Amino acid sequence: MQTALTASATLLAFQCGAKQWSKLFPGSLHRRGTSVSLFTNSQRKRVHARFVASNVKGSNGGVAEISESEKTPGSYAWPDKKKPRVCILGGGFGGLYTALRLESLVWPDDNKPQVILVDQSEHFVFKPMLYELLSGEVDEWEIAPRFSDLLQNTSVQFFQDRVKLLHPSDHWGINVPTGISCGGTVHLESGLLIEYDWLVLALGAEAKLDVVPGAAEFALPFSTLEDARKVDQKLRIFERRTFGNDSLISVAVVGCGYAGVELAATVSERLQERGIVRAINVETVICPTAPPGNREAALKVLSSRKVELVLGYLVRCIRRVGDLESSEILTGGGEVQGSRFHDSGKYILELQPAERGLQSKILEADLVLWTVGSKPLLPQLEPSNEPLELPVNARGQAETDETLRVKGHPRIFALGDSSALRDSNGRLLPATAQVAFQQADFAGWNLWAAINGRPLLPFRFQNLGEMMTLGRNDAALSPSFIEGLTLDGPVGHAARKIAYLIRLPTDEHRLKVGISWLTKSAIDSVAAVQSTLAKVLSG
C-alpha cells in the first residue's frame, strides 16, 4: 500500500499543476454560512432549509438554500415517484456508510432507490481520530470532510437539518407490502416533511452531562468536531496565558475508558512540562474492558508523562471558584489538591470515594473534560390518536431484531448508537465505531433484500480487535485474530493509521489523505535526520 501511494504521489507531483494540487489538498476548510433559524424552533417566521444534492450543480458548489420568500417548506418532492425512497437519519459511521453501501450495490430492473441523508452538521467526522486534531497530527479536512464532497459523485442527496418528529405508518407489526408505499414521514426542524418507504435510524449519541451538578455548565465533552474545536481553543488560550511564566495548566479528565485515556494521553503530551493532567475514574482500573496489552501500554505512557490517575472516585459536583467561597472551600473537609483558589476562572471538583478506605478529595482545574456516559438521539414520535411507539431499552436505544429492523416496524432499520442489539451470548453490543461500520454493510444489503423481496441476513459482529491512540507517535493495537499480541509505540501508531486510512469513506478521500500523511511523514523524517546531524556536528 505504501509503495502504491508513494508512486501516486510522485506521478501527481509531476503531472498536476499548482491549481490541481491545491484542489487535491485543501489547506483549510471554508465554513459555509448556515442560517441560525435552522437550529431553533419551528415557530420562527423565516425558515431556511439547507440541503446539498449531489446530482445538482449550482453556482455555490451544489449547495442550495431555500427561504420562505422563495418557497414555503412543505413535503419534499422526490424526483421519481416510482422508485423506492430511503431516508437515512444521521451521517456518522452508520448512516453515511449505509448510503455509500446502497450506492455500490447492483440493483435489478432499474429499481435503485432514491436516498436522502440527513445530518445536523455539514461535516462527516471520523471520530476515532478527533484526538489527532488536538495534537496537530492531522488536518481537519482529513478526518472531517464535508458531506457534499464525499457524495458529489453519487446520487445520494444530503440535507443539513435536524430531525424534529417521526411518524411511522408501519407500526404494530403490520407488514407493509414490499411495493412502493409510504412507510412514514420525517419532520425536520426547517419545516420540511419527507415521506419515505424505508427509514434508517443512525443518529448517534450525545454526551450525558446532566448526571452531575455543574457538569453541563462547566465541563466540556469530547465527541464531536465542535467539541474538539472548543477544547483546542481553550488549550490555546491557556498556553498563551502561561507562556513565559511558571504557571501550570491544570486539566481534569473525567472518565478513564478508552476516550478518557486517549484524551489524557494526548493533552499531557501537548502540554508537556507546562501542565498537569489528572484522570478520574470510578473504577480502580483504567479501560476495564480493554485487552490487557492495551491497558498495560496505556499505563506505561500515562506514567511516563506524569498523568495523575485518581482511581476509585466519582465526581459529586463541579463548581466555579469564586472569591467569596474560597475560604469556605479551604476550611472544608477532605484532601485539597491545587493551591490557587483565588483564581475565579478555575473549577473545583468534589470527589466522593467509590471504594472503602479512601478519603474525599477536592481537585482544582483550569479545564474539565467529560468523557463519561452518552445518550442516544432517537427522534420523538408525532402525537397521534393512534398508539405509536418505538421499543427502546433503558438507555434509550431502539430494540432491533437480528436483521437490524426495529421490532414491530419492518420498514425501519436502526444501527450504531441508535440500536440495541445483542450478540449470540446475549450481551449488548458496544456502541463503537467498529460495530456501526459493520452494521452499515449489513443494513445496506438488507435494504437491498427488502426492496427486492429477498431474505434478509442476520447481523453477526466480528471483533477485529481494539486500538487506541496515546500520542503523536504512540498507540496500542490488539488484533483479535492473534491472541496475546499487542502492537504499541511507533509500530502500533503506524498500524492504527493504516487501519483507519482503509476505513475512510471513499476511494478519492482515502487517496488524498494517504498522500497527505505520507508527505507529512517524509517531512518529519527529514526534520528528524537534520536534527540528529546537527547534534552530532555540534559535538
Side-chain angles (χ1 to χ4, degrees), residues 36 44 53 101 130 225 248 265 284 353 365 422 429 482 487 498:
V36 177
R44 297 260 186 163
R101 177 62 170 158
L130 274 177
L225 179 61
L248 292 178
T284 56
R422 299 184 182 275
L429 290 177
I482 305 179
L487 302 177
I498 292 174

Side-chain angles (χ1 to χ4, degrees), residues 41-184:
N41 58 51
S42 58
Q43 297 178 355
R44 297 260 186 163
K45 292 184 179 180
R46 182 175 179 82
V47 180
H48 287 71
R50 174 184 174 87
F51 68 90
V52 177
S54 60
N55 54 355
V56 176
K57 299 298 181 182
S59 58
N60 57 350
V63 179
E65 296 196 6
I66 303 174
S67 65
E68 190 178 23
S69 60
E70 300 169 354
K71 181 179 178 180
T72 302
S75 296
Y76 171 72
W78 292 85
D80 194 321
K81 295 183 179 180
K82 296 182 179 180
K83 291 185 176 182
R85 303 166 297 181
V86 177
C87 183
I88 301 175
L89 304 181
F93 280 101
L96 175 64
Y97 285 65
T98 298
L100 295 174
R101 177 62 170 158
L102 290 173
E103 187 72 15
S104 68
L105 293 172
V106 177
W107 295 87
D109 303 325
D110 194 28
N111 203 28
K112 184 178 181 179
Q114 306 163 92
V115 180
I116 285 179
L117 178 66
V118 180
D119 195 90
Q120 63 185 7
S121 173
E122 68 173 331
H123 295 274
F124 163 75
V125 182
F126 201 93
K127 289 188 177 182
M129 299 196 74
L130 274 177
Y131 311 95
E132 278 83 342
L133 284 180
L134 295 184
S135 64
E137 188 175 350
V138 302
D139 296 324
E140 192 172 292
W141 70 269
E142 295 171 344
I143 65 165
R146 287 194 295 264
F147 286 108
S148 57
D149 296 331
L150 295 175
L151 300 174
Q152 62 182 349
N153 296 322
T154 71
S155 60
V156 179
Q157 297 188 62
F158 171 66
F159 283 66
Q160 185 183 346
D161 209 332
R162 293 195 182 197
V163 181
K164 183 179 180 182
L165 292 172
L166 176 64
H167 186 192
S169 59
D170 65 339
H171 50 283
W172 295 114
I174 301 175
N175 282 301
V176 181
T178 56
I180 306 302
S181 57
C182 180

Side-chain angles (χ1 to χ4, degrees), residues 130-138 140 220-222 224-240 263 266-267 270-271 367 369:
L130 274 177
Y131 311 95
E132 278 83 342
L133 284 180
L134 295 184
S135 64
E137 188 175 350
V138 302
E140 192 172 292
L220 292 180
F222 195 82
T224 67
L225 179 61
E226 290 71 24
D227 294 339
R229 288 170 175 168
K230 289 179 182 178
V231 174
D232 180 65
Q233 182 182 19
K234 285 282 188 179
L235 290 175
R236 288 179 185 272
I237 292 174
F238 291 132
E239 287 166 344
R240 288 195 297 266
L263 193 56
T266 302
V267 173
R270 171 170 171 167
L271 296 180
L367 180 63
L369 304 179

Side-chain angles (χ1 to χ4, degrees), residues 127-138 222 228 231-232 235 239 251 253 258-272 274 277 279 298 301-302 305 307 369 468-475 493 496:
K127 289 188 177 182
M129 299 196 74
L130 274 177
Y131 311 95
E132 278 83 342
L133 284 180
L134 295 184
S135 64
E137 188 175 350
V138 302
F222 195 82
V231 174
D232 180 65
L235 290 175
E239 287 166 344
V251 178
V253 179
Y258 266 107
V261 169
E262 290 178 297
L263 193 56
T266 302
V267 173
S268 62
E269 182 185 51
R270 171 170 171 167
L271 296 180
Q272 296 183 3
R274 295 172 296 173
V277 177
V301 169
L302 294 178
R305 294 179 189 160
V307 175
L369 304 179
M468 62 192 308
T469 181
L470 297 170
R472 286 186 63 91
N473 203 33
D474 245 315
H493 179 265
R496 177 179 175 273

Side-chain angles (χ1 to χ4, degrees), residues 312 353-359:
E355 299 285 335
R356 291 184 178 179
L358 298 177
Q359 186 181 6

